[in-house]
C-alpha cells in the first residue's frame, strides 16, 4: 500500500492499470475499483475517488494515457507565456497514436506525435510532465509570423522564462533530427542575436520596436557612471548622449521611486545627457518625433 499511495500522490491522484498491477496485483486493483476507491476515467487510467478534476489533472492524465508530455498551448499556458491565458489540453508523444484526439474527464485532448522528444526537452513543471519553455516556444513557432513570435519570445525572455541560447539550442536539436522547417524561428533568432536584451518591461519593448522600425534603433539597458555611481538607462544612444525613458506610474509612482528617479535624472542631465520621457499617452508617432528631434539637436543627420 505504501508504494501505491506514493505513486498516486506523485501522479496527481491518478494511476494506470498497468502500474496498479505491479503494486496491488489484479485482485487488489479489481477490489478498489469495485469498492469505488478508484474511478475509471479512460481505458487503463483510474482516478482516486474524491480527487478534484483540475486543469493539471487533465494534462497529467493525458500524458499518462499517451505516454507523453503536456505541450504546445497547454505547456505555454502553464509556463505563463503571454496571450496563452486559456487552457486547452495538448500532449506530445513519440508513440504511435490511434487518434489525434482523445476524450478525458469530459475534455477533448489534442495528441501530437513526434520523432524528436529528447529528455532535455522535457521536465516536470507545476507537478506535470511537459515540454520545457524553450521546446514549447519552438513547437509554437509554426503558428506565428516573425513579428508576433519575436514579441512572444521577448516577453518570455524578459520574464526569465527562457533564454535565447536555450531556444537556439532546442531549434538546432530539432533541425538536426530532420524536424520541420524553422524559417520563422531562424529569422527571429538571427535578428536578435544571442546577446540580445529584451529590456525590463513591455512598454519599453514596445518603444524599442517603434524606434527600430523607424530606423533609429537604440541600445538597451545601457550602464553608465555619473557622479561616481553606476546608472542604467532603459534605451540610449550613447554616442549622442540621448536617453529614452518610459515613465509609468506602476513602477515610478511611489515616493521612494520618485526621489530616486529625480536624483538619477538630475545626475544624468548634469553629465550632459538629453532625456526623452515617454508615457502611456505619448503614442508611436510622437515618440519617434521626439527622439528624432533629440538626435538632431545633438548633431546627428537623419534621413527624412
Amino acid at each position: 500500500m505504501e508504494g501505491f499511495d506514493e505513486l498516486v500522490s506523485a501522479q496527481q491522484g491518478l494511476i494506470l492499470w498497468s502500474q496498479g498491477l505491479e503494486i496491488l496485483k489484479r485482485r487488489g486493483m479489481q477490489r478498489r475499483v469495485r469498492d469505488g476507491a478508484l474511478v475509471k476515467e479512460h481505458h487503463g487510467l483510474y482516478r482516486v475517488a474524491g480527487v478534484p478534476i483540475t486543469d493539471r489533472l487533465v494534462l497529467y492524465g493525458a500524458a499518462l494515457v499517451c505516454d507523453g508530455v503536456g505541450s504546445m498551448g497547454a505547456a505555454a499556458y502553464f509556463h505563463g507565456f503571454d496571450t496563452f491565458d486559456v487552457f486547452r489540453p495538448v500532449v506530445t508523444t513519440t508513440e504511435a497514436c490511434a487518434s489525434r484526439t482523445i476524450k478525458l474527464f469530459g475534455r477533448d485532448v489534442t495528441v501530437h506525435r513526434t520523432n524528436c522528444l529528447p529528455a532535455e526537452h522535457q521536465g516536470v513543471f507545476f507537478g506535470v510532465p511537459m515540454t520545457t519553455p524553450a521546446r514549447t516556444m519552438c513547437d509554437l513557432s509554426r503558428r506565428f509570423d516573425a513579428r508576433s513570435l519575436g514579441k512572444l519570445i521577448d516577453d518570455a525572455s524578459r520574464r526569465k522564462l527562457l533564454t535565447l541560447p536555450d531556444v537556439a539550442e532546442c531549434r538546432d536539436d530539432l533541425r538536426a533530427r530532420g524536424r520541420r522547417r524553422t524559417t520563422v524561428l531562424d529569422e527571429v533568432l538571427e535578428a536578435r542575436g544571442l546577446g540580445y536584451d529584451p529590456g525590463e518591461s513591455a512598454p519599453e519593448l514596445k518603444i524599442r520596436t517603434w524606434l527600430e522600425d523607424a530606423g533609429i534603433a537604440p541600445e538597451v539597458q545601457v550602464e553608465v557612471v555619473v557622479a561616481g555611481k553606476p546608472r542604467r538607462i532603459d534605451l540610449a544612444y550613447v554616442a549622442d548622449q540621448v536617453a529614452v525613458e518610459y515613465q509609468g506610474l506602476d513602477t515610478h509612482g511611489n515616493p521612494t521611486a520618485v526621489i530616486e528617479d529625480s536624483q538619477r535624472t538630475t545626475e544624468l542631465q548634469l553629465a550632459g545627457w538629453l532625456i526623452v520621457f515617454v508615457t502611456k499617452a505619448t503614442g508611436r508617432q510622437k515618440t519617434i518625433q521626439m527622439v528624432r528631434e533629440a538626435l538632431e539637436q545633438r548633431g546627428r543627420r537623419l534621413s527624412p
Side-chain angles (χ1 to χ4, degrees), residues 12 19 26 28-29 40 63-64 131 143 152 162 166 183-184 198 203 219 224 231 235 251 261 272 280 297-298:
Q12 310 290 327
Q19 294 174 326
R26 183 175 298 274
M29 285 294 290
K40 184 175 182 179
L64 285 175
T131 51
R143 300 185 178 183
L152 188 64
L162 49 72
D166 290 340
T183 307
V184 173
E219 296 180 49
V224 297
R231 295 296 190 185
L235 304 170
T251 55
D261 283 349
K280 184 178 181 180
Q297 283 186 27
R298 295 296 186 164

Side-chain angles (χ1 to χ4, degrees), residues 113-239:
R113 184 174 184 273
T114 181
N115 61 0
C116 177
L117 191 61
E120 56 268 27
H121 292 188
Q122 307 174 49
V124 177
F125 303 90
F126 311 98
V128 180
M130 65 180 75
T131 51
T132 62
R135 172 58 187 265
T136 302
M137 191 67 72
C138 289
D139 286 342
L140 291 171
S141 64
R142 72 179 91 179
R143 300 185 178 183
F144 297 91
D145 57 26
R147 185 180 183 85
S148 298
L149 181 64
K151 290 176 64 176
L152 188 64
I153 288 179
D154 285 343
D155 179 75
S157 180
R158 174 174 57 81
R159 292 191 288 125
K160 311 300 182 185
L161 301 177
L162 49 72
T163 66
L164 286 177
D166 290 340
V167 177
E169 183 177 355
C170 186
R171 182 273 315 265
D172 292 343
D173 287 343
L174 293 171
R175 197 158 52 187
R177 291 171 168 83
R179 184 68 183 275
R180 63 180 185 278
R181 290 183 303 145
T182 57
T183 307
V184 173
L185 191 55
D186 294 345
E187 182 179 343
V188 171
L189 292 174
E190 181 178 356
R192 280 151 179 79
L194 296 186
Y196 173 79
D197 185 340
E200 291 190 337
S201 69
E204 178 189 322
L205 182 57
K206 179 168 64 175
I207 295 167
R208 172 186 181 171
T209 302
W210 290 347
L211 298 175
E212 288 175 342
D213 290 346
I216 45 176
E219 296 180 49
V220 182
Q221 296 298 309
V222 176
E223 291 189 358
V224 297
V225 177
V226 292
K229 302 175 184 177
R231 295 296 190 185
R232 176 172 290 190
I233 303 173
D234 294 346
L235 304 170
Y237 301 86
V238 179

